[in-house]
Amino acid sequence: MSRLVTANCLLATIACLLWQTEAYGDVKLTSDGPAVLGSVVTFKAEVVDSNGEVPPGKFGFTWHDDALRPHKNKTDSTTNTISYFRVEYKAPEYHVGVYHMEVIVCNWILGGLFCPEYASRRIQIRVSSNLNGNLHIEQNNKTMEGKFISTSNETHLSVDLRQGDYDYITSTATSILTYWFIDCKPFNYTTDMKFNYNFTKPSEFHTIQALVIASYDQPVTTTIAPTTTTSTTSSPVNLTIPVPSNSNSSIITTTTTTAITTTTTTPTTTTITTAKPTESSNETAVLGNLTFPFVCGSTIIPITNKTYGYFQKEVNTRAPISKLNIEGATYIDAFQELQLTLTWNGTPPFYQCIELHTGTYNVTGNETCDSSRGTKLDVYQYKFSHFFFDYLEWTVLIILSNDISTEVHPVAVNIVKKVPQPQLSVIVVPVSCSLVAIVVVIFGIAYWVQSRARFTVEVADFDFGQSNTDMEYKTFTERLRDSFNNAGYKQLDENKDNAQ
């Protein structure tokens, strides 16, 4: 009876451990898909606890998918919480479609006696007939994430294939060519999946397309009949560049020189192989009127022995902000209004942000201004005004941006205390009045001197102590007449006076 109780307790303990293990664990399952048919797909399982952290213990991973010929794998006990499983979906065993991969993680307990399930996950993977990746656009060593590109920089276009797809075609294809199209107009083809182009006109819409064609055509083998002499010659051989079938245009060819050796004993077999291009190659040629599948709604049927990758992006051209000019006085008095006038060039809309910082501000390069925090402008001029009320040094940080560029310009503003200056009238009026007074005085003195010189002052000398004989017998009338005569007036006649 005691043994039965002990066994029941042991089973209850194991069940409790199993329940706790299953309840508190998780596993993150990811893949690098989608993938092209024939390439390798890598799955990754990462064990975490309920807090998203790495749990202790030993684990086991069991992998399997739902393909008709399933891929399976089971790992041994390991302390690693990350496991990888690589699967190849290769034709003709597998076909294009959607597959599901599942991983079950168990946690070894009780010294490795039991491995109950810790967590499990399932993920789907799409296996496609075309190459997977994206069209990469770069300007001035910067990836253009949005749909806008600058007209002032050269545009570097490249096809960024998924690594598994790239490894597959570079290891199996005999030639890999990338054809480039701008607005459905064919340009060049390249062998390194890269192309440079200049968009020069702003406010335009363009469609960029790239078509990668990986060909698996077998090398051409020719047999040279035996001859009676032995010689080595070099002759040109025309190599045809693989292009899609059903084309109504001429085929592009290149000429190479191949050495052909003939002998009198045995026939010589010469193999002409188109070398696989390297990433550093820049070979280009004019496309002419060739037609291609996928491009611009083409109805051309893809060739079965080729692998295609079609990539497209739509962009808008914008002129970046340039010739930013700021005018206005930066040394002002407190309580005086700061007035700045900003002018610039570029393609609208613009977003303007202005920040005020005390002291000197150092530009970090991380300043941004967008529609969420800036003022939208459709003009090329802006006037900023602000009052400062303390005697400090300020920095007015001006951030101006549009869809492809950002201009950051700090303006140092000094608030100075000016010495009060007297008004002009306070100086001019007293000085003017003083000058007028001086002139009046000078003219008065000159006039007085001139008047003094013009008039003669006579002084009468009356000597009453002496006797004058003439005055003893002259009457008042006679004396008056003599005075007039002596003064220079018209002489008065004595007879007339008497007659009177």
Side-chain angles (χ1 to χ4, degrees):
M1 183 70 180
S2 60
R3 293 180 180 179
L4 181 61
V5 173
T6 302
N8 291 334
C9 292
L10 179 62
L11 291 175
T13 302
I14 294 175
C16 182
L17 292 174
L18 293 178
W19 178 81
Q20 290 180 352
T21 302
E22 184 176 1
Y24 292 99
D26 196 7
V27 57
K28 299 178 181 178
L29 183 58
T30 58
S31 73
D32 63 348
V36 68
L37 183 65
S39 65
V40 176
V41 183
T42 302
F43 297 91
K44 177 183 177 182
E46 183 178 3
V47 181
V48 295
D49 59 14
S50 58
N51 297 322
E53 299 178 354
V54 178
K58 293 184 178 181
F59 301 91
F61 298 83
T62 302
W63 298 86
H64 68 88
D65 64 2
D66 59 353
L68 293 179
R69 298 184 61 181
H71 301 86
K72 297 180 179 180
N73 184 48
K74 186 175 183 178
T75 66
D76 297 330
S77 175
T78 177
T79 57
N80 294 329
T81 57
I82 297 178
S83 177
Y84 294 93
F85 186 39
R86 293 175 176 84
V87 177
E88 183 179 9
Y89 294 95
K90 190 174 183 179
E93 291 86 358
Y94 301 93
H95 304 279
V96 173
V98 177
Y99 298 88
H100 295 84
M101 176 64 69
E102 184 179 24
V103 62
I104 300 175
V105 182
C106 65
N107 185 15
W108 290 96
I109 59 175
L110 299 179
L113 296 178
F114 297 96
C115 191
E117 182 177 333
Y118 184 82
S120 64
R121 287 285 178 185
R122 175 179 291 188
I123 190 175
Q124 71 176 21
I125 177 72
R126 181 173 60 86
V127 178
S128 63
S129 59
N130 296 330
L131 299 171
N132 300 276
N134 60 78
L135 185 59
H136 184 77
I137 302 178
E138 183 178 295
Q139 285 188 328
N140 199 22
N141 298 324
K142 180 181 178 182
T143 300
M144 309 304 292
E145 300 292 348
K147 61 179 181 179
F148 300 102
I149 59 176
S150 173
T151 57
S152 62
N153 298 318
E154 186 179 38
T155 304
H156 304 281
L157 306 173
S158 62
V159 175
D160 186 13
L161 288 180
R162 170 186 168 271
Q163 187 61 42
D165 292 10
Y166 178 81
D167 294 339
Y168 170 67
I169 63 174
T170 54
S171 61
T172 57
T174 57
S175 68
I176 303 173
L177 300 176
T178 304
Y179 297 87
W180 298 93
F181 305 84
I182 307 294
D183 298 330
C184 293
K185 178 182 178 182
F187 279 81
N188 294 334
Y189 76 81
T190 62
T191 58
D192 59 356
M193 302 184 192
K194 297 179 181 179
F195 180 59
N196 297 332
Y197 189 80
N198 287 327
F199 297 92
T200 58
K201 296 182 179 180
S203 303
E204 289 187 347
F205 177 84
H206 297 282
T207 301
I208 304 173
Q209 296 169 309
L211 180 64
V212 180
I213 302 178
S215 177
Y216 307 96
D217 294 335
Q218 296 299 319
V220 179
T221 301
T222 59
T223 301
I224 308 298
T227 60
T228 58
T229 60
T230 301
S231 62
T232 301
T233 60
S234 296
S235 59
V237 178
N238 291 329
L239 300 181
T240 302
I241 296 176
V243 295
S245 62
N246 300 329
S247 175
N248 296 325
S249 61
S250 59
I251 303 298
I252 302 173
T253 60
T254 61
T255 302
T256 61
T257 302
T258 305
I260 301 176
T261 303
T262 59
T263 63
T264 58
T265 57
T266 58
T268 301
T269 300
T270 302
T271 302
I272 303 174
T273 305
T274 303
K276 288 185 289 185
T278 60
E279 289 191 44
S280 60
S281 174
N282 279 326
E283 179 185 2
T284 58
V286 178
L287 293 180
N289 295 322
L290 296 178
T291 56
F292 303 89
F294 305 107
V295 178
C296 301
S298 174
T299 58
I300 301 298
I301 300 176
I303 302 175
T304 55
N305 64 336
K306 300 181 188 299
T307 301
Y308 297 87
Y310 174 68
F311 309 93
Q312 175 180 319
K313 269 195 175 182
E314 297 175 345
V315 297
N316 291 282
T317 57
R318 294 286 188 269
I321 298 173
S322 62
K323 298 181 180 180
L324 176 61
N325 184 40
I326 302 174
E327 296 180 352
T330 57
Y331 283 82
I332 61 174
D333 190 14
F335 303 97
Q336 181 181 351
E337 185 180 22
L338 171 68
Q339 294 182 347
L340 298 177
T341 301
L342 287 68
T343 58
W344 61 87
N345 291 336
T347 303
F350 306 101
Y351 297 96
Q352 170 265 121
C353 300
I354 295 182
E355 302 175 358
L356 299 178
H357 300 271
T358 56
T360 303
Y361 180 86
N362 296 321
V363 178
T364 63
N366 297 323
E367 293 82 4
T368 59
C369 183
D370 51 23
S371 58
S372 62
R373 59 185 296 263
T375 301
K376 184 178 180 181
L377 301 173
D378 292 321
V379 295
Y380 302 90
Q381 186 182 60
Y382 180 78
K383 293 185 178 181
F384 172 75
S385 59
H386 187 77
F387 283 96
F388 295 93
F389 303 104
D390 46 9
Y391 299 102
L392 296 175
E393 181 181 356
W394 291 82
T395 297
V396 180
L397 185 64
I398 299 172
I399 308 174
L400 187 66
S401 66
N402 62 356
D403 295 320
I404 59 168
S405 64
T406 300
E407 288 290 330
V408 181
H409 192 88
V411 178
V413 179
N414 295 275
I415 313 301
V416 296
K417 188 175 182 180
K418 297 181 179 180
V419 178
Q421 300 292 336
Q423 296 183 356
L424 186 61
S425 59
V426 178
I427 299 176
V428 173
V429 172
V431 172
S432 301
C433 293
S434 299
L435 292 177
V436 171
I438 293 173
V439 171
V440 170
V441 171
I442 292 175
F443 274 96
I445 295 174
Y447 181 78
W448 179 79
V449 172
Q450 185 178 9
S451 300
R452 182 180 176 84
R454 184 178 299 174
F455 295 98
T456 301
V457 179
E458 295 183 358
V459 179
D461 186 10
F462 297 97
D463 187 4
F464 297 98
Q466 296 181 1
S467 60
N468 193 339
T469 57
D470 294 335
M471 296 181 61
E472 295 179 356
Y473 60 91
K474 291 183 180 179
T475 63
F476 175 78
T477 303
E478 292 174 345
R479 289 195 299 269
L480 183 60
R481 183 183 65 240
D482 292 338
S483 298
F484 271 96
N485 292 336
N486 293 331
Y489 292 100
K490 185 178 178 182
Q491 296 293 323
L492 298 177
D493 191 2
E494 183 180 357
N495 294 328
K496 293 181 178 180
D497 292 335
N498 297 325
Q500 294 176 354

